[in-house]
Each structure stands twice: as C-alpha cells, then as structure tokens.
Amino acid sequence: MKNIITNEQLYTQLNDPALILFDAGMLRPGLTGNYVAKAVLPNAQRFDIKNELADRSNPLPNTLCSAEQFTQVMQKAGVNHDSLVVIYEDAGLFSAARAWWMFKAMGFNNVKVLSGGLAKWLEFGLPVESNYTQASLKGDFIAQYRPDYFIDKKQVLSATKDANTVILDARAYERFTGKSSEPRAGMRSGHIINSYSLPLTSLLENGEAKSLDFIQAKFSELVGNATHLQFSCGSGVTACALALFADECGYSNLSVYDGSWSEWGADNSLPIAVGG
C-alpha cells in the first residue's frame, strides 16, 4: 500500500537522514487523562493532535490548526520540504491517519502511516527508546493549505442533497443507527441524513488494514458512481482513516468533515436520521 509502511520497511530506513518519525497517538473516546506512550520508536517526536496542532480557539475537539501554526511546529520538528514523514500510534489505526491527512491538507505528500503502530513494533522486538527526540535543526517546510481537505457543516449539509457526493461515517454501526448513546455529553444519537455507515473497525484486523481487495469492495458497494466522498466520525479523527483507505483505492475528491458528530450531533438545526 502506498500510504502504509510496514515495520520491516521502516526498520531498514531508521538511519535515513530524511526520515522524520512522529507518534500521533491519542486517548480513545470516553477515556480521561493524558496520552502516555509505553515506549517510543527511535528518534521519534510527539505529534500532538489535540493540543499543539489543534485550533484551541474552537470549542470542538481536535479541529485543524492554521497553516501558520502547522508550519511553526513542523519547522521546529525539523521537517523539510523533501523529508520522509512516517507517523505511528500506540495500537492499530486510529489517530495516525488524522496526522497523515493533516500533512496532506497542508500540502505535504511524502507521508506514510506505520502498519500496526507501536504494538506491532514491540511484537517484533524492534528497538525502542523511553523519551521523545527534539530536533536539533530547524526545517524549511512551509504549509500550503488545501481547503478542500477539511470541510464544514455547510458543505456537508449541501452534500446531503447531492447525488454525486457520498458521505461515509466511520463510527461503530450502533452509534450510526442510534442504538448506542454517544460518548460525549449533549449529543443526539443517529447519523447525518443520507450518509452511509462504514465503520473503521470493519476494515481492520488486529489493528492493521485488511486486504486492499476487501477494502475496495466495501467502498465500491457504497460509493457507486459518486465523484466526491466526504468522511465523518465522532470528532474528525477516524474519518481520516477512511480518507486514507479511499485514497489507497484510487478515489479522488476526498474531504473530511472536521467537526463531525461532535458538531452535527449537538446542533439541533441540522437534520439527522436513525436506524440502518
């Protein structure tokens, strides 16, 4: 897969001077406290989606920071325009894809996600460290924001009436149907009207991507002849994993709804549906 790198592949590139390695792990929904990694991959730095790289002025969780903020943080991390960026997380595929999509949205394409994350790395007995690295040299990367990568509720509302756009929801099916209550207080249960359920977990096995043929079949079944795909989830994190897989399958015109259900579910003026 073009967007995913295996543990074996990364291990052989650890000494590549162009490599920049980030831990983008996050706490799963419903958990409290701070994210703490069990171990750190060699020379890895922290990619803090929730704080350092979020728009802290937005009351919604995890929303994308400005291009200027992203540039500043990435230059401090030593990211150059010709770097190879690899992103991992503690287990499976959850938040690493969010970091991957953020890089893409900021005009940086040479970025990959580590298959299986830290859990698989440890399973293979590969080397780790106890602390994150701080870059010694400032990078020259300058973000060039692509506004179509992240979209707002007005664009999603418009898409609910557009036959050429398909909205896919990465949350668990029980949350999509409204049978399960939301982990965040004040949220309605259900889904965006005219959207379809594609739980991220259905595309994974032991935290890693299922076969590309299986993933392509799932997308084909739901997408049909649509020319634009929009992705939603709970707070704009797992939706990015669907974007990663859609890109892997060759789809274009992909957008992630940054506010996702955290915004839509709390806004009584926006239409929802329940059931399958």
Side-chain angles (χ1 to χ4, degrees), residues 221-244:
E221 178 185 337
L222 296 171
V223 173
N225 296 318
T227 55
H228 185 190
L229 304 186
Q230 294 183 357
F231 307 101
S232 181
C233 59
S235 65
V237 176
T238 52
C240 297
L242 292 190
L244 183 150

Side-chain angles (χ1 to χ4, degrees), residues 105-181:
M106 294 296 178
F108 188 93
N109 290 317
N110 196 21
V111 55
K112 297 180 185 296
V113 169
L114 178 63
S115 183
L118 174 64
K120 184 65 66 173
W121 187 269
L122 292 172
E123 187 180 309
F124 283 133
L126 296 171
V128 292
E129 298 172 355
S130 54
N131 296 303
Y132 294 113
T133 295
Q134 300 293 325
S136 56
L137 297 174
K138 184 179 178 181
D140 63 15
F141 167 70
I142 297 175
Q144 303 289 332
Y145 183 57
R146 297 163 167 171
D148 52 327
Y149 274 59
F150 283 96
I151 53 175
D152 61 24
K153 63 184 178 183
K154 291 181 182 178
Q155 291 163 290
V156 177
L157 184 61
S158 176
T160 63
K161 307 161 191 168
D162 179 9
N164 292 316
T165 302
V166 166
I167 306 168
L168 298 175
D169 191 323
R171 294 175 301 156
Y173 185 67
E174 292 75 16
R175 289 174 66 188
F176 178 87
T177 61
K179 287 183 179 179
S180 293
S181 59

